Amino acid sequence: MISNIATAAVYVENQNEALEFWTEKVGFVVHREKRMSAEASWIEVGPKGARSCLVIFPKTMMANWSERKPSIVFDCDSVKDTYTEMNARGVIFSQTPQAMGWGTFAIFTDPGGNSFGLREPDKLVDPFGHEWGINQQLKEQTDEESQAAAGEYFANGKKQSAKETEERSSA
């Protein structure tokens, strides 16, 4: 059984330039680097602690590299904050953060002209009004706000329950 996506390849002219871009500008770390030949290495980069990585693969070692374009989108907690950080480090964006029907999205390019997307994962709002991302609370509330939201939730739940009971007994 497959447990995760291991790598996705990005075909580059210059591995050193690509490595500098992904580590110094995007903020990734090197997860694996193995010499393949005198001119090339197998280099995997990704966010610290990530299980999936990008392979910065030399075009010279892939005969049909021009037919293989990456279509990779990265999750981040805040597209706007990530855009600001990466833009300050010199990353060029072909699309600044924009609200789309399905969430905020931005597109940046690497030195080889490949495009990559940034998106925010879906957020859930619990019955108490807290917004949640993946394993992380995104909106802090005071105790008073939480109590008010809980009171409203339970009051609405009781109203709904009474309405359902009334509908069932008149049927």
Side-chain angles (χ1 to χ4, degrees), residues 10-35 39-47 53-58 89 91 110-112 114 116:
V10 177
Y11 303 100
V12 301
E13 291 285 341
N14 183 317
Q15 279 190 306
N16 291 330
E17 181 181 71
L19 182 60
E20 180 182 326
F21 172 80
W22 286 106
T23 57
E24 294 180 19
K25 294 189 176 184
V26 176
F28 283 4
V29 297
V30 175
H31 287 266
R32 180 179 292 167
E33 185 170 0
K34 303 283 183 182
R35 179 66 60 199
E39 301 82 33
S41 296
W42 178 270
I43 304 173
E44 295 180 15
V45 296
C53 296
L54 292 180
V55 174
I56 304 168
F57 201 84
R89 291 192 298 259
V91 175
D110 70 5
N114 298 304
F116 302 88

mmCIF file of all heavy atoms in Angstrom, residues 10-35 39-47 53-58 89 91 110-112 114 116:
data_model
loop_
_atom_site.group_PDB
_atom_site.id
_atom_site.type_symbol
_atom_site.label_atom_id
_atom_site.label_comp_id
_atom_site.label_asym_id
_atom_site.label_seq_id
_atom_site.Cartn_x
_atom_site.Cartn_y
_atom_site.Cartn_z
ATOM 1 N N VAL A 10 11.488 18.379 -10.880
ATOM 2 C CA VAL A 10 11.533 19.669 -11.558
ATOM 3 C C VAL A 10 12.818 19.650 -12.374
ATOM 4 O O VAL A 10 13.906 19.423 -11.831
ATOM 5 C CB VAL A 10 11.569 20.845 -10.544
ATOM 6 C CG1 VAL A 10 11.678 22.166 -11.263
ATOM 7 C CG2 VAL A 10 10.348 20.808 -9.648
ATOM 8 N N TYR A 11 12.695 19.856 -13.675
ATOM 9 C CA TYR A 11 13.843 19.753 -14.571
ATOM 10 C C TYR A 11 14.510 21.116 -14.719
ATOM 11 O O TYR A 11 13.859 22.101 -15.061
ATOM 12 C CB TYR A 11 13.409 19.165 -15.917
ATOM 13 C CG TYR A 11 12.765 17.821 -15.694
ATOM 14 C CD1 TYR A 11 11.389 17.674 -15.679
ATOM 15 C CD2 TYR A 11 13.553 16.705 -15.413
ATOM 16 C CE1 TYR A 11 10.806 16.447 -15.416
ATOM 17 C CE2 TYR A 11 12.978 15.476 -15.145
ATOM 18 C CZ TYR A 11 11.605 15.346 -15.148
ATOM 19 O OH TYR A 11 11.032 14.133 -14.876
ATOM 20 N N VAL A 12 15.814 21.159 -14.427
ATOM 21 C CA VAL A 12 16.543 22.427 -14.346
ATOM 22 C C VAL A 12 17.793 22.404 -15.215
ATOM 23 O O VAL A 12 18.371 21.354 -15.470
ATOM 24 C CB VAL A 12 16.926 22.746 -12.879
ATOM 25 C CG1 VAL A 12 15.681 22.846 -12.002
ATOM 26 C CG2 VAL A 12 17.888 21.727 -12.295
ATOM 27 N N GLU A 13 18.195 23.585 -15.659
ATOM 28 C CA GLU A 13 19.445 23.747 -16.409
ATOM 29 C C GLU A 13 20.648 23.663 -15.476
ATOM 30 O O GLU A 13 21.653 23.055 -15.797
ATOM 31 C CB GLU A 13 19.479 25.114 -17.120
ATOM 32 C CG GLU A 13 18.500 25.275 -18.253
ATOM 33 C CD GLU A 13 18.911 24.532 -19.508
ATOM 34 O OE1 GLU A 13 20.096 24.170 -19.655
ATOM 35 O OE2 GLU A 13 18.018 24.294 -20.341
ATOM 36 N N ASN A 14 20.539 24.321 -14.313
ATOM 37 C CA ASN A 14 21.666 24.474 -13.413
ATOM 38 C C ASN A 14 21.244 24.045 -12.004
ATOM 39 O O ASN A 14 20.488 24.752 -11.338
ATOM 40 C CB ASN A 14 22.120 25.934 -13.436
ATOM 41 C CG ASN A 14 23.333 26.192 -12.588
ATOM 42 O OD1 ASN A 14 23.446 25.705 -11.461
ATOM 43 N ND2 ASN A 14 24.243 26.992 -13.125
ATOM 44 N N GLN A 15 21.744 22.903 -11.559
ATOM 45 C CA GLN A 15 21.357 22.400 -10.242
ATOM 46 C C GLN A 15 21.791 23.327 -9.110
ATOM 47 O O GLN A 15 21.055 23.501 -8.136
ATOM 48 C CB GLN A 15 21.936 21.006 -10.007
ATOM 49 C CG GLN A 15 21.135 19.908 -10.659
ATOM 50 C CD GLN A 15 21.598 18.544 -10.195
ATOM 51 O OE1 GLN A 15 22.786 18.210 -10.289
ATOM 52 N NE2 GLN A 15 20.660 17.740 -9.705
ATOM 53 N N ASN A 16 22.966 23.930 -9.220
ATOM 54 C CA ASN A 16 23.440 24.816 -8.155
ATOM 55 C C ASN A 16 22.538 26.038 -8.022
ATOM 56 O O ASN A 16 22.197 26.447 -6.904
ATOM 57 C CB ASN A 16 24.885 25.251 -8.409
ATOM 58 C CG ASN A 16 25.853 24.094 -8.258
ATOM 59 O OD1 ASN A 16 25.630 23.168 -7.485
ATOM 60 N ND2 ASN A 16 26.933 24.125 -9.024
ATOM 61 N N GLU A 17 22.155 26.622 -9.152
ATOM 62 C CA GLU A 17 21.248 27.768 -9.138
ATOM 63 C C GLU A 17 19.884 27.362 -8.568
ATOM 64 O O GLU A 17 19.298 28.084 -7.764
ATOM 65 C CB GLU A 17 21.093 28.318 -10.555
ATOM 66 C CG GLU A 17 20.188 29.521 -10.657
ATOM 67 C CD GLU A 17 20.060 29.992 -12.097
ATOM 68 O OE1 GLU A 17 19.401 29.291 -12.904
ATOM 69 O OE2 GLU A 17 20.620 31.055 -12.416
ATOM 70 N N ALA A 18 19.397 26.196 -8.976
ATOM 71 C CA ALA A 18 18.106 25.708 -8.480
ATOM 72 C C ALA A 18 18.177 25.429 -6.981
ATOM 73 O O ALA A 18 17.253 25.770 -6.233
ATOM 74 C CB ALA A 18 17.688 24.458 -9.238
ATOM 75 N N LEU A 19 19.254 24.831 -6.525
ATOM 76 C CA LEU A 19 19.424 24.542 -5.103
ATOM 77 C C LEU A 19 19.433 25.833 -4.291
ATOM 78 O O LEU A 19 18.780 25.929 -3.245
ATOM 79 C CB LEU A 19 20.718 23.752 -4.879
ATOM 80 C CG LEU A 19 21.002 23.326 -3.448
ATOM 81 C CD1 LEU A 19 19.896 22.437 -2.915
ATOM 82 C CD2 LEU A 19 22.353 22.613 -3.379
ATOM 83 N N GLU A 20 20.129 26.833 -4.776
ATOM 84 C CA GLU A 20 20.158 28.133 -4.104
ATOM 85 C C GLU A 20 18.754 28.736 -4.042
ATOM 86 O O GLU A 20 18.328 29.245 -3.005
ATOM 87 C CB GLU A 20 21.105 29.082 -4.831
ATOM 88 C CG GLU A 20 21.197 30.462 -4.199
ATOM 89 C CD GLU A 20 22.126 31.386 -4.981
ATOM 90 O OE1 GLU A 20 23.132 30.909 -5.539
ATOM 91 O OE2 GLU A 20 21.814 32.586 -5.022
ATOM 92 N N PHE A 21 18.014 28.682 -5.147
ATOM 93 C CA PHE A 21 16.653 29.216 -5.193
ATOM 94 C C PHE A 21 15.767 28.529 -4.156
ATOM 95 O O PHE A 21 15.118 29.181 -3.349
ATOM 96 C CB PHE A 21 16.058 29.049 -6.593
ATOM 97 C CG PHE A 21 14.605 29.398 -6.678
ATOM 98 C CD1 PHE A 21 14.205 30.727 -6.764
ATOM 99 C CD2 PHE A 21 13.629 28.412 -6.655
ATOM 100 C CE1 PHE A 21 12.853 31.066 -6.827
ATOM 101 C CE2 PHE A 21 12.279 28.735 -6.724
ATOM 102 C CZ PHE A 21 11.889 30.067 -6.803
ATOM 103 N N TRP A 22 15.735 27.201 -4.183
ATOM 104 C CA TRP A 22 14.809 26.463 -3.317
ATOM 105 C C TRP A 22 15.185 26.552 -1.846
ATOM 106 O O TRP A 22 14.308 26.563 -0.977
ATOM 107 C CB TRP A 22 14.702 25.015 -3.767
ATOM 108 C CG TRP A 22 13.903 24.894 -5.022
ATOM 109 C CD1 TRP A 22 14.369 24.643 -6.284
ATOM 110 C CD2 TRP A 22 12.494 25.076 -5.163
ATOM 111 N NE1 TRP A 22 13.335 24.655 -7.190
ATOM 112 C CE2 TRP A 22 12.167 24.919 -6.525
ATOM 113 C CE3 TRP A 22 11.462 25.359 -4.268
ATOM 114 C CZ2 TRP A 22 10.873 25.025 -7.013
ATOM 115 C CZ3 TRP A 22 10.167 25.468 -4.745
ATOM 116 C CH2 TRP A 22 9.879 25.299 -6.102
ATOM 117 N N THR A 23 16.481 26.638 -1.528
ATOM 118 C CA THR A 23 16.865 26.693 -0.120
ATOM 119 C C THR A 23 16.935 28.126 0.415
ATOM 120 O O THR A 23 16.402 28.408 1.480
ATOM 121 C CB THR A 23 18.217 25.982 0.117
ATOM 122 O OG1 THR A 23 19.219 26.570 -0.710
ATOM 123 C CG2 THR A 23 18.101 24.498 -0.162
ATOM 124 N N GLU A 24 17.528 29.027 -0.328
ATOM 125 C CA GLU A 24 17.719 30.381 0.187
ATOM 126 C C GLU A 24 16.529 31.303 -0.043
ATOM 127 O O GLU A 24 16.265 32.183 0.767
ATOM 128 C CB GLU A 24 18.992 30.989 -0.407
ATOM 129 C CG GLU A 24 20.234 30.243 0.059
ATOM 130 C CD GLU A 24 21.523 30.809 -0.497
ATOM 131 O OE1 GLU A 24 21.536 31.969 -0.955
ATOM 132 O OE2 GLU A 24 22.518 30.061 -0.490
ATOM 133 N N LYS A 25 15.822 31.142 -1.132
ATOM 134 C CA LYS A 25 14.697 32.034 -1.429
ATOM 135 C C LYS A 25 13.355 31.453 -0.981
ATOM 136 O O LYS A 25 12.548 32.150 -0.385
ATOM 137 C CB LYS A 25 14.671 32.388 -2.909
ATOM 138 C CG LYS A 25 15.870 33.228 -3.307
ATOM 139 C CD LYS A 25 15.760 33.769 -4.686
ATOM 140 C CE LYS A 25 16.948 34.685 -4.971
ATOM 141 N NZ LYS A 25 16.843 35.301 -6.261
ATOM 142 N N VAL A 26 13.123 30.183 -1.282
ATOM 143 C CA VAL A 26 11.853 29.571 -0.896
ATOM 144 C C VAL A 26 11.888 29.136 0.568
ATOM 145 O O VAL A 26 10.879 29.173 1.253
ATOM 146 C CB VAL A 26 11.505 28.392 -1.834
ATOM 147 C CG1 VAL A 26 10.242 27.684 -1.386
ATOM 148 C CG2 VAL A 26 11.347 28.886 -3.273
ATOM 149 N N GLY A 27 13.060 28.741 1.055
ATOM 150 C CA GLY A 27 13.193 28.353 2.459
ATOM 151 C C GLY A 27 13.133 26.853 2.709
ATOM 152 O O GLY A 27 12.944 26.420 3.844
ATOM 153 N N PHE A 28 13.296 26.034 1.666
ATOM 154 C CA PHE A 28 13.309 24.589 1.816
ATOM 155 C C PHE A 28 14.667 24.146 2.370
ATOM 156 O O PHE A 28 15.617 24.915 2.413
ATOM 157 C CB PHE A 28 13.083 23.900 0.466
ATOM 158 C CG PHE A 28 11.652 23.906 -0.001
ATOM 159 C CD1 PHE A 28 10.639 24.545 0.690
ATOM 160 C CD2 PHE A 28 11.320 23.255 -1.174
ATOM 161 C CE1 PHE A 28 9.326 24.533 0.239
ATOM 162 C CE2 PHE A 28 10.012 23.226 -1.637
ATOM 163 C CZ PHE A 28 9.015 23.868 -0.931
ATOM 164 N N VAL A 29 14.734 22.877 2.757
ATOM 165 C CA VAL A 29 15.996 22.270 3.200
ATOM 166 C C VAL A 29 16.287 21.082 2.293
ATOM 167 O O VAL A 29 15.397 20.544 1.639
ATOM 168 C CB VAL A 29 15.933 21.810 4.679
ATOM 169 C CG1 VAL A 29 15.727 22.991 5.608
ATOM 170 C CG2 VAL A 29 14.847 20.760 4.889
ATOM 171 N N VAL A 30 17.547 20.671 2.273
ATOM 172 C CA VAL A 30 17.949 19.499 1.494
ATOM 173 C C VAL A 30 17.633 18.259 2.328
ATOM 174 O O VAL A 30 18.082 18.130 3.466
ATOM 175 C CB VAL A 30 19.452 19.545 1.143
ATOM 176 C CG1 VAL A 30 19.884 18.262 0.442
ATOM 177 C CG2 VAL A 30 19.755 20.762 0.281
ATOM 178 N N HIS A 31 16.855 17.352 1.753
ATOM 179 C CA HIS A 31 16.524 16.098 2.430
ATOM 180 C C HIS A 31 17.448 14.969 2.003
ATOM 181 O O HIS A 31 17.693 14.048 2.767
ATOM 182 C CB HIS A 31 15.070 15.697 2.143
ATOM 183 C CG HIS A 31 14.085 16.553 2.861
ATOM 184 N ND1 HIS A 31 13.558 16.221 4.079
ATOM 185 C CD2 HIS A 31 13.531 17.752 2.542
ATOM 186 C CE1 HIS A 31 12.717 17.154 4.481
ATOM 187 N NE2 HIS A 31 12.694 18.100 3.568
ATOM 188 N N ARG A 32 17.926 15.022 0.772
ATOM 189 C CA ARG A 32 18.810 13.974 0.259
ATOM 190 C C ARG A 32 19.634 14.551 -0.882
ATOM 191 O O ARG A 32 19.130 15.285 -1.711
ATOM 192 C CB ARG A 32 17.988 12.796 -0.246
ATOM 193 C CG ARG A 32 18.837 11.663 -0.805
ATOM 194 C CD ARG A 32 17.987 10.515 -1.278
ATOM 195 N NE ARG A 32 17.354 9.901 -0.106
ATOM 196 C CZ ARG A 32 16.367 9.035 -0.160
ATOM 197 N NH1 ARG A 32 15.876 8.674 -1.315
ATOM 198 N NH2 ARG A 32 15.863 8.516 0.931
ATOM 199 N N GLU A 33 20.923 14.181 -0.899
ATOM 200 C CA GLU A 33 21.789 14.583 -2.011
ATOM 201 C C GLU A 33 22.783 13.458 -2.262
ATOM 202 O O GLU A 33 23.565 13.108 -1.379
ATOM 203 C CB GLU A 33 22.522 15.888 -1.695
ATOM 204 C CG GLU A 33 23.330 16.410 -2.853
ATOM 205 C CD GLU A 33 23.862 17.827 -2.642
ATOM 206 O OE1 GLU A 33 23.602 18.420 -1.578
ATOM 207 O OE2 GLU A 33 24.544 18.326 -3.551
ATOM 208 N N LYS A 34 22.708 12.881 -3.463
ATOM 209 C CA LYS A 34 23.592 11.777 -3.843
ATOM 210 C C LYS A 34 24.192 12.075 -5.208
ATOM 211 O O LYS A 34 23.489 12.449 -6.138
ATOM 212 C CB LYS A 34 22.814 10.455 -3.940
ATOM 213 C CG LYS A 34 22.081 10.047 -2.689
ATOM 214 C CD LYS A 34 23.024 9.484 -1.677
ATOM 215 C CE LYS A 34 22.247 9.020 -0.454
ATOM 216 N NZ LYS A 34 23.057 8.510 0.573
ATOM 217 N N ARG A 35 25.466 11.902 -5.347
ATOM 218 C CA ARG A 35 26.160 12.122 -6.608
ATOM 219 C C ARG A 35 25.721 11.052 -7.612
ATOM 220 O O ARG A 35 25.732 9.873 -7.307
ATOM 221 C CB ARG A 35 27.660 12.075 -6.367
ATOM 222 C CG ARG A 35 28.547 12.270 -7.554
ATOM 223 C CD ARG A 35 28.555 13.588 -8.236
ATOM 224 N NE ARG A 35 28.933 14.755 -7.503
ATOM 225 C CZ ARG A 35 28.610 15.978 -7.912
ATOM 226 N NH1 ARG A 35 27.917 16.165 -9.013
ATOM 227 N NH2 ARG A 35 28.975 17.024 -7.243
ATOM 228 N N GLU A 39 28.840 15.445 -13.262
ATOM 229 C CA GLU A 39 28.141 16.708 -13.515
ATOM 230 C C GLU A 39 26.814 16.860 -12.771
ATOM 231 O O GLU A 39 26.227 17.939 -12.775
ATOM 232 C CB GLU A 39 27.837 16.881 -15.013
ATOM 233 C CG GLU A 39 29.044 16.885 -15.924
ATOM 234 C CD GLU A 39 29.510 15.471 -16.263
ATOM 235 O OE1 GLU A 39 28.663 14.560 -16.355
ATOM 236 O OE2 GLU A 39 30.725 15.278 -16.413
ATOM 237 N N ALA A 40 26.292 15.795 -12.169
ATOM 238 C CA ALA A 40 24.935 15.874 -11.627
ATOM 239 C C ALA A 40 24.765 15.077 -10.340
ATOM 240 O O ALA A 40 25.462 14.093 -10.112
ATOM 241 C CB ALA A 40 23.941 15.364 -12.674
ATOM 242 N N SER A 41 23.801 15.537 -9.544
ATOM 243 C CA SER A 41 23.446 14.859 -8.300
ATOM 244 C C SER A 41 21.940 14.647 -8.249
ATOM 245 O O SER A 41 21.181 15.327 -8.931
ATOM 246 C CB SER A 41 23.856 15.705 -7.092
ATOM 247 O OG SER A 41 25.246 15.857 -7.032
ATOM 248 N N TRP A 42 21.535 13.697 -7.437
ATOM 249 C CA TRP A 42 20.119 13.515 -7.110
ATOM 250 C C TRP A 42 19.899 14.384 -5.886
ATOM 251 O O TRP A 42 20.443 14.129 -4.813
ATOM 252 C CB TRP A 42 19.829 12.050 -6.794
ATOM 253 C CG TRP A 42 18.409 11.807 -6.409
ATOM 254 C CD1 TRP A 42 17.882 11.847 -5.148
ATOM 255 C CD2 TRP A 42 17.330 11.494 -7.289
ATOM 256 N NE1 TRP A 42 16.546 11.566 -5.193
ATOM 257 C CE2 TRP A 42 16.178 11.345 -6.495
ATOM 258 C CE3 TRP A 42 17.222 11.320 -8.668
ATOM 259 C CZ2 TRP A 42 14.934 11.029 -7.032
ATOM 260 C CZ3 TRP A 42 15.983 11.002 -9.191
ATOM 261 C CH2 TRP A 42 14.868 10.866 -8.391
ATOM 262 N N ILE A 43 19.127 15.460 -6.033
ATOM 263 C CA ILE A 43 18.922 16.400 -4.934
ATOM 264 C C ILE A 43 17.429 16.497 -4.640
ATOM 265 O O ILE A 43 16.639 16.862 -5.513
ATOM 266 C CB ILE A 43 19.479 17.805 -5.268
ATOM 267 C CG1 ILE A 43 20.959 17.722 -5.632
ATOM 268 C CG2 ILE A 43 19.263 18.749 -4.085
ATOM 269 C CD1 ILE A 43 21.541 19.032 -6.149
ATOM 270 N N GLU A 44 17.059 16.171 -3.405
ATOM 271 C CA GLU A 44 15.675 16.295 -2.948
ATOM 272 C C GLU A 44 15.590 17.438 -1.948
ATOM 273 O O GLU A 44 16.354 17.480 -0.980
ATOM 274 C CB GLU A 44 15.192 15.012 -2.275
ATOM 275 C CG GLU A 44 15.116 13.827 -3.209
ATOM 276 C CD GLU A 44 14.629 12.557 -2.523
ATOM 277 O OE1 GLU A 44 14.074 12.629 -1.402
ATOM 278 O OE2 GLU A 44 14.812 11.480 -3.129
ATOM 279 N N VAL A 45 14.658 18.363 -2.200
ATOM 280 C CA VAL A 45 14.440 19.491 -1.301
ATOM 281 C C VAL A 45 12.960 19.547 -0.937
ATOM 282 O O VAL A 45 12.105 19.072 -1.675
ATOM 283 C CB VAL A 45 14.880 20.831 -1.934
ATOM 284 C CG1 VAL A 45 16.370 20.856 -2.204
ATOM 285 C CG2 VAL A 45 14.087 21.126 -3.205
ATOM 286 N N GLY A 46 12.690 20.145 0.214
ATOM 287 C CA GLY A 46 11.306 20.315 0.651
ATOM 288 C C GLY A 46 11.261 21.058 1.963
ATOM 289 O O GLY A 46 12.299 21.373 2.555
ATOM 290 N N PRO A 47 10.060 21.323 2.448
ATOM 291 C CA PRO A 47 9.947 21.968 3.759
ATOM 292 C C PRO A 47 10.572 21.081 4.834
ATOM 293 O O PRO A 47 10.584 19.851 4.709
ATOM 294 C CB PRO A 47 8.428 22.077 3.967
ATOM 295 C CG PRO A 47 7.836 21.996 2.603
ATOM 296 C CD PRO A 47 8.757 21.099 1.823
ATOM 297 N N CYS A 53 9.094 15.435 -1.383
ATOM 298 C CA CYS A 53 10.139 16.377 -1.782
ATOM 299 C C CYS A 53 10.110 16.638 -3.281
ATOM 300 O O CYS A 53 9.559 15.859 -4.053
ATOM 301 C CB CYS A 53 11.517 15.800 -1.438
ATOM 302 S SG CYS A 53 11.797 15.569 0.319
ATOM 303 N N LEU A 54 10.749 17.722 -3.664
ATOM 304 C CA LEU A 54 11.014 18.002 -5.071
ATOM 305 C C LEU A 54 12.405 17.465 -5.385
ATOM 306 O O LEU A 54 13.334 17.640 -4.606
ATOM 307 C CB LEU A 54 11.029 19.503 -5.350
ATOM 308 C CG LEU A 54 9.735 20.271 -5.241
ATOM 309 C CD1 LEU A 54 9.994 21.745 -5.554
ATOM 310 C CD2 LEU A 54 8.698 19.706 -6.175
ATOM 311 N N VAL A 55 12.535 16.823 -6.527
ATOM 312 C CA VAL A 55 13.848 16.425 -7.015
ATOM 313 C C VAL A 55 14.269 17.483 -8.023
ATOM 314 O O VAL A 55 13.562 17.736 -8.997
ATOM 315 C CB VAL A 55 13.818 15.038 -7.693
ATOM 316 C CG1 VAL A 55 15.180 14.728 -8.306
ATOM 317 C CG2 VAL A 55 13.424 13.974 -6.696
ATOM 318 N N ILE A 56 15.397 18.121 -7.782
ATOM 319 C CA ILE A 56 15.943 19.098 -8.726
ATOM 320 C C ILE A 56 16.797 18.289 -9.699
ATOM 321 O O ILE A 56 17.940 17.955 -9.416
ATOM 322 C CB ILE A 56 16.782 20.157 -7.992
ATOM 323 C CG1 ILE A 56 15.947 20.839 -6.911
ATOM 324 C CG2 ILE A 56 17.328 21.168 -8.967
ATOM 325 C CD1 ILE A 56 16.765 21.688 -5.966
ATOM 326 N N PHE A 57 16.199 17.953 -10.838
ATOM 327 C CA PHE A 57 16.809 17.000 -11.764
ATOM 328 C C PHE A 57 17.379 17.718 -12.979
ATOM 329 O O PHE A 57 16.711 18.542 -13.596
ATOM 330 C CB PHE A 57 15.753 15.977 -12.210
ATOM 331 C CG PHE A 57 16.339 14.706 -12.745
ATOM 332 C CD1 PHE A 57 16.719 13.688 -11.885
ATOM 333 C CD2 PHE A 57 16.522 14.539 -14.112
ATOM 334 C CE1 PHE A 57 17.260 12.504 -12.384
ATOM 335 C CE2 PHE A 57 17.049 13.360 -14.616
ATOM 336 C CZ PHE A 57 17.428 12.346 -13.746
ATOM 337 N N PRO A 58 18.629 17.422 -13.360
ATOM 338 C CA PRO A 58 19.243 18.100 -14.501
ATOM 339 C C PRO A 58 18.592 17.709 -15.835
ATOM 340 O O PRO A 58 18.395 16.535 -16.123
ATOM 341 C CB PRO A 58 20.697 17.651 -14.458
ATOM 342 C CG PRO A 58 20.770 16.514 -13.520
ATOM 343 C CD PRO A 58 19.518 16.474 -12.706
ATOM 344 N N ARG A 89 12.527 37.821 -0.351
ATOM 345 C CA ARG A 89 13.775 37.096 -0.621
ATOM 346 C C ARG A 89 14.074 37.028 -2.113
ATOM 347 O O ARG A 89 15.010 36.349 -2.527
ATOM 348 C CB ARG A 89 13.706 35.687 -0.026
ATOM 349 C CG ARG A 89 13.707 35.674 1.503
ATOM 350 C CD ARG A 89 13.942 34.288 2.073
ATOM 351 N NE ARG A 89 12.930 33.322 1.721
ATOM 352 C CZ ARG A 89 11.930 32.924 2.503
ATOM 353 N NH1 ARG A 89 11.811 33.440 3.709
ATOM 354 N NH2 ARG A 89 11.070 32.022 2.093
ATOM 355 N N VAL A 91 11.855 36.053 -4.714
ATOM 356 C CA VAL A 91 11.082 35.129 -5.549
ATOM 357 C C VAL A 91 10.110 35.947 -6.402
ATOM 358 O O VAL A 91 9.454 36.874 -5.916
ATOM 359 C CB VAL A 91 10.306 34.110 -4.683
ATOM 360 C CG1 VAL A 91 9.414 33.232 -5.538
ATOM 361 C CG2 VAL A 91 11.293 33.260 -3.878
ATOM 362 N N ASP A 110 10.374 29.681 -10.784
ATOM 363 C CA ASP A 110 11.769 29.442 -10.422
ATOM 364 C C ASP A 110 12.659 30.028 -11.517
ATOM 365 O O ASP A 110 12.150 30.527 -12.529
ATOM 366 C CB ASP A 110 12.028 27.955 -10.170
ATOM 367 C CG ASP A 110 11.986 27.084 -11.418
ATOM 368 O OD1 ASP A 110 11.854 27.620 -12.552
ATOM 369 O OD2 ASP A 110 12.086 25.853 -11.277
ATOM 370 N N PRO A 111 13.986 30.008 -11.341
ATOM 371 C CA PRO A 111 14.872 30.595 -12.353
ATOM 372 C C PRO A 111 14.752 29.949 -13.732
ATOM 373 O O PRO A 111 15.073 30.566 -14.738
ATOM 374 C CB PRO A 111 16.273 30.378 -11.773
ATOM 375 C CG PRO A 111 16.068 30.285 -10.303
ATOM 376 C CD PRO A 111 14.730 29.609 -10.139
ATOM 377 N N GLY A 112 14.254 28.715 -13.818
ATOM 378 C CA GLY A 112 14.097 28.032 -15.099
ATOM 379 C C GLY A 112 12.762 28.303 -15.767
ATOM 380 O O GLY A 112 12.471 27.749 -16.820
ATOM 381 N N ASN A 114 9.759 27.567 -14.508
ATOM 382 C CA ASN A 114 8.698 26.670 -14.060
ATOM 383 C C ASN A 114 7.781 27.411 -13.095
ATOM 384 O O ASN A 114 8.243 28.197 -12.271
ATOM 385 C CB ASN A 114 9.291 25.446 -13.345
ATOM 386 C CG ASN A 114 10.160 24.626 -14.266
ATOM 387 O OD1 ASN A 114 9.724 24.196 -15.318
ATOM 388 N ND2 ASN A 114 11.413 24.428 -13.866
ATOM 389 N N PHE A 116 4.827 27.408 -9.999
ATOM 390 C CA PHE A 116 4.383 26.652 -8.835
ATOM 391 C C PHE A 116 3.300 27.452 -8.121
ATOM 392 O O PHE A 116 3.360 28.677 -8.063
ATOM 393 C CB PHE A 116 5.545 26.402 -7.872
ATOM 394 C CG PHE A 116 6.685 25.663 -8.515
ATOM 395 C CD1 PHE A 116 7.691 26.353 -9.167
ATOM 396 C CD2 PHE A 116 6.721 24.287 -8.497
ATOM 397 C CE1 PHE A 116 8.733 25.681 -9.782
ATOM 398 C CE2 PHE A 116 7.759 23.605 -9.111
ATOM 399 C CZ PHE A 116 8.761 24.299 -9.754
#
